[in-house]
Amino acid sequence: MRKILVYGDSHVANIAMVAPQLMQPDARFIFFSAPGPVSSLVFVEDCCLKLKPAPARWPNHPTIAPETFQQWYEGTQAQLRKISENNDYLDFSKFDAVIVYGGGLGLILNSAWWKLSTLSVRCSQPFLMDMLEESFNSIKASTWLGELKPFIETGGTVFYMPPPLLNEQGFGEVEEADQNLKMLRSTPENANYCRDFLPALSVALAKRGVRLLNLPDELFDSSFRATKSSFKFSKPKDFAHLNEEGALLVLGNLIAKSMEQLAKPKG
Amino acid sequence: MNPYQRLPATAFWKLSVAQKHMFDISDLWDPKFNIKPQDKVATFGSCFAQHIGRALNKRGFNWLISEHAPAGCSEALAKRYNYGVFTARTGNIYTASLLKQWTKWALGLETPPEEVWQTDGRFFDPFRPTIEPNGFESLDDLLKTRQHTLACFRRAIEQSSYFVFTLGLTESWHNKTHGHEYPLCPGTAAGEFIEDEHVFINQKFGDIKTSLLEVTELMKGVNSNLKFIFTVSPVPLAATNSQRHVAVATMASKSILRTVADELVTDYDDFDYFPSYEIINSPIFKGAFFEPNLRAVNHYGVDFVMDQFFACLGSKFPMTATEAVPAPAAPSPSQEAKKVAEAPSITKEADEVCDEIILESYAKSEQA
């Protein structure tokens, strides 16, 4: 039986909720999620996933109290302890593959994905490639990729699946700097822009030994620039996460595509 | 009282030039239009046009960029792919006829020809051969990206209040069979030169004037309020195919372009001319604004030209000056002179994107 680790931010928790409904006879998927601010404390060292100690003071946040941050941290710590059977770290060599899902590989990439997928401009493929190279060379992304490199170099398999796009209600709430997200009311020809980005992302990741798992096409609205409203999470103002139906769709996609790729020879 | 007795100081060389330090010379332009900071200004043309856009932006004016680089990409990357150089990613538009060609395509009056250049598996757009640093990956990529630029170019015409166009060259290359014009001679930046197919035309006064009148008419057809500001690039020709000395060809070309602009500005209310060419090239300034190669304009020259632009605008329309972001304090003449004198012998060519410079690489040394 294959053993596959899925780790990342809150998006992992989102799909882990429906995992019992998609049990696999020939694979065991293990989920580790760290909520947004705590995910920055997750790191990989010597092919093991670890959690940095909690900071003496949590950063000021307009809506989240320091006590909440601390609770999230303790929950993440407990989760790691449980999965690792009290080792406090997850040894990648014990897994057939590692899947980073959500805002992993650096938040810069996450941000680039959202922005690029909602572009109202048509860029050439070489430009997209260079833009991705720039994203990957950012400190956050290069740190993550650098940490994963020893595992990849010893034959480890790493997949990356980007987080879902915002749903359509998210566009009224975005910061001024992200106003291009508002361009979702797009012209039909814009539908392809997001698709242009995926091959470039795939090539850029492959150069670093990471394989891309595309999100399922059915997740997106007709413009291919937002998550379909039918997959909207019920919590008010949560524009990013998926309801049960959406989580089932994405997890099913993750399982099917990763298993299919693992069945293929590497290279 | 004879007419000369009523003239202002600027009409007299002695008062406005000879008795002044060159950096104190002012009032070189009497702007026709009150360009307000909120007015959208599109900029296209020869290499020098890009400085106008940047300067507008720096002074808090509304430089219209209709083709943006995606949010999140660095300034360096955007520049490498020619975003934010002109209002849309057309690359250099050196001639009035080339501007007309872009306009007809953008307005759907003509369709771009199918011609595409291929080198080492990469695809190059004959109408903006250096727009991508290494060409396009596929024909589809090239065509869709150009289509997007054409849409953005059209948007620039529709949305702007002022269209600044810098006239650069009279010398041009055309396709003999289909008539279309190239911004650069085929076989230089990309493509292959075919003797029977590619023809050289050194455009004459009448051709240029007709092209400018036609293109401005076309643009006003979709934006009747649009006004035009012409400039002539002060940058000499990198090379000439006119069989004359390049210095003579340069003077001839610039003089023709300058004359066309002068006639249009005199005859039409919707046209104005800003004298960047005169400021850089006039003997008043003793060549101080050129790099040692006497072709590239140094950034002191660019700054001086643009300072004049805003100073003249503010002087005639004081409201404009107060609404805009104040320019950095102007240095005194002695400071300015010191800056120029101390400029390193090898300086950047004011970060200019100029396709025509490729022609320099074809120069053989006399010893060869």
Side-chain angles (χ1 to χ4, degrees):
Chain A
M1 178 176 275
R2 290 192 197 275
K3 201 171 155 192
I4 297 160
L5 173 67
V6 183
Y7 80 95
D9 56 15
S10 57
H11 291 287
V12 173
N14 193 193
I15 57 171
M17 289 190 305
V18 298
Q21 297 179 54
L22 292 177
M23 296 281 271
Q24 298 297 301
D26 52 353
R28 192 173 149 225
F29 284 82
I30 290 141
F31 299 89
F32 172 73
S33 66
V38 182
S39 69
S40 62
L41 299 173
V42 174
F43 69 108
V44 179
E45 186 180 57
D46 301 329
C47 300
C48 294
L49 187 142
K50 298 174 184 175
L51 188 63
K52 287 179 191 167
R57 266 186 68 191
W58 288 97
N60 287 331
H61 193 279
T63 54
I64 305 167
E67 299 77 41
T68 309
F69 277 132
Q70 185 59 30
Q71 281 170 13
W72 285 353
Y73 179 82
E74 286 165 11
T76 307
Q77 203 175 32
Q79 194 191 159
L80 181 60
R81 199 164 289 153
K82 186 179 169 196
I83 300 169
S84 67
E85 295 167 351
N86 296 320
N87 272 336
D88 286 339
Y89 63 87
L90 286 167
D91 184 350
F92 283 178
S93 68
K94 304 241 168 88
F95 296 91
D96 293 286
V98 166
I99 301 175
V100 184
Y101 171 49
L105 298 179
L107 292 170
I108 299 289
L109 178 57
N110 184 10
S111 155
W113 157 254
W114 271 351
K115 284 176 175 165
L116 280 169
S117 60
T118 54
L119 287 179
S120 66
V121 301
R122 164 85 204 194
C123 309
S124 66
Q125 281 292 313
F127 177 85
L128 285 178
M129 287 301 305
D130 282 354
M131 190 169 169
L132 278 164
E133 286 297 323
E134 213 171 54
S135 292
F136 279 131
N137 290 331
S138 69
I139 293 169
K140 280 180 181 167
S142 61
T143 303
W144 275 75
L145 288 160
E147 288 173 358
L148 286 166
K149 204 174 169 189
F151 176 61
I152 294 165
E153 283 176 349
T154 53
T157 301
V158 177
F159 295 104
Y160 175 67
M161 190 163 81
L165 301 180
L166 296 184
N167 64 51
E168 87 289 358
Q169 284 191 339
F171 303 110
E173 304 291 325
V174 291
E175 297 292 321
E176 191 65 31
D178 288 335
Q179 285 291 310
N180 58 345
L181 291 167
K182 280 187 174 174
M183 295 176 189
L184 266 194
R185 303 285 165 252
S186 57
T187 54
E189 65 264 26
N190 284 349
N192 287 324
Y193 295 154
C194 188
R195 292 173 206 270
D196 290 340
F197 171 67
L198 292 172
L201 178 61
S202 177
V203 172
L205 285 170
K207 275 167 74 177
R208 291 158 174 86
V210 178
R211 300 196 226 175
L212 176 70
L213 296 178
N214 284 340
L215 286 163
D217 281 2
E218 309 91 283
L219 187 70
F220 301 102
D221 71 356
S222 58
S223 71
F224 205 67
R225 303 174 94 202
T227 293
K228 254 183 211 163
S229 57
S230 56
F231 298 129
K232 229 171 353 203
F233 199 69
S234 57
K235 194 174 160 189
K237 295 201 172 182
D238 184 341
F239 312 117
H241 297 111
L242 305 170
N243 61 18
E244 187 177 335
E245 198 187 345
L248 278 166
L249 177 68
V250 169
L251 180 59
N253 172 80
L254 179 146
I255 292 170
K257 287 185 176 154
S258 61
M259 294 300 279
E260 185 189 322
Q261 291 213 35
L262 281 170
K264 287 182 193 167
K266 264 191 164 184
Chain B
M1 188 182 255
N2 72 52
Y4 288 91
Q5 289 172 300
R6 290 194 294 267
L7 292 175
T10 52
F12 297 92
W13 189 270
K14 184 179 169 186
L15 296 177
S16 62
V17 179
Q19 289 182 350
K20 287 194 168 184
H21 186 283
M22 67 181 189
F23 292 118
D24 279 340
I25 292 166
S26 58
D27 302 319
L28 287 157
W29 179 42
D30 179 21
K32 272 189 186 175
F33 314 128
N34 182 6
I35 307 171
K36 296 195 166 158
Q38 65 272 20
D39 293 336
K40 290 177 179 167
V41 183
T43 60
F44 289 96
S46 184
C47 318
F48 202 78
Q50 57 202 272
H51 300 304
I52 298 172
R54 266 189 248 152
L56 285 166
N57 198 31
K58 201 169 149 189
R59 308 287 180 124
F61 280 75
N62 192 357
W63 181 29
L64 175 65
I65 295 287
S66 58
E67 185 169 7
H68 279 284
C73 91
S74 70
E75 207 178 311
L77 179 64
K79 193 172 174 198
R80 196 144 60 86
Y81 281 83
N82 288 291
Y83 285 99
V85 175
F86 302 108
T87 290
R89 265 192 353 141
T90 54
N92 291 123
I93 301 178
Y94 289 109
T95 63
S97 46
L98 204 53
L99 179 67
K100 188 171 72 177
Q101 183 170 279
W102 273 101
T103 304
K104 283 186 170 178
W105 293 346
L107 300 184
L109 302 170
E110 280 178 11
T111 311
E114 288 176 4
E115 183 178 349
V116 167
W117 297 337
Q118 241 184 303
T119 308
D120 299 329
R122 308 289 293 186
F123 294 80
F124 293 85
D125 189 339
F127 309 106
R128 41 182 201 155
T130 61
I131 204 75
E132 297 264 317
N134 302 303
F136 292 90
E137 272 188 3
S138 65
L139 176 63
D140 182 61
D141 207 17
L142 182 156
L143 295 176
K144 281 185 178 158
T145 311
R146 188 206 288 156
Q147 206 51 44
H148 180 68
T149 296
L150 284 169
C152 294
F153 184 74
R154 183 186 171 115
R155 208 156 52 233
I157 299 168
E158 289 168 343
Q159 294 180 354
S160 55
S161 302
Y162 299 98
F163 192 99
V164 179
F165 182 62
T166 300
L167 295 147
L169 297 174
T170 55
E171 297 190 15
S172 56
W173 289 92
H174 298 251
N175 184 291
K176 195 176 169 184
T177 314
H178 303 289
H180 52 261
E181 181 176 346
Y182 307 99
L184 281 174
C185 175
T188 55
E192 188 190 346
F193 183 73
I194 303 166
E195 202 73 48
D196 295 335
E197 189 71 5
H198 298 133
V199 291
F200 173 75
I201 298 175
N202 199 358
Q203 298 185 30
K204 295 180 178 168
F205 175 90
D207 306 326
I208 299 162
K209 186 182 169 187
T210 305
S211 289
L212 274 181
L213 284 172
E214 279 179 20
V215 69
T216 49
E217 196 59 33
L218 288 173
M219 289 187 190
K220 285 178 84 69
V222 289
N223 179 359
S224 57
N225 294 321
L226 187 59
K227 293 184 169 49
F228 299 86
I229 300 170
F230 300 123
T231 65
V232 171
S233 169
V235 181
L237 274 64
T240 179
N241 191 53
S242 64
Q243 314 307 318
R244 290 183 286 188
H245 191 287
V246 68
V248 177
T250 294
M251 194 57 85
S253 259
K254 303 292 178 185
S255 303
I256 291 166
L257 296 171
R258 179 65 190 86
T259 315
V260 172
D262 209 70
E263 189 155 303
L264 292 179
V265 169
T266 307
D267 292 350
Y268 296 87
D269 290 341
D270 289 346
F271 299 147
D272 198 0
Y273 172 78
F274 172 69
S276 54
Y277 169 71
E278 287 84 341
I279 296 170
I280 300 294
N281 276 281
S282 171
I284 298 170
F285 297 100
K286 305 174 180 73
F289 296 138
F290 283 106
E291 293 288 351
N293 67 5
L294 298 177
R295 180 173 184 273
V297 176
N298 62 37
H299 66 87
Y300 302 110
V302 173
D303 290 349
F304 188 78
V305 165
M306 294 320 300
D307 284 350
Q308 290 292 323
F309 182 93
F310 293 105
C312 294
L313 196 61
S315 168
K316 180 149 183 192
F317 304 107
M319 272 301 286
T320 304
T322 51
E323 284 165 22
V325 174
S332 68
S334 58
Q335 284 173 318
E336 192 72 48
K338 194 164 177 274
K339 271 199 305 182
V340 176
E342 289 175 354
S345 57
I346 300 169
T347 53
K348 285 194 294 177
E349 293 177 9
D351 285 333
E352 204 170 67
V353 177
C354 197
D355 296 345
E356 193 208 3
I357 197 74
I358 187 87
L359 300 178
E360 269 188 3
S361 63
Y362 295 96
K364 295 177 195 141
S365 73
E366 286 198 60
Q367 286 78 18

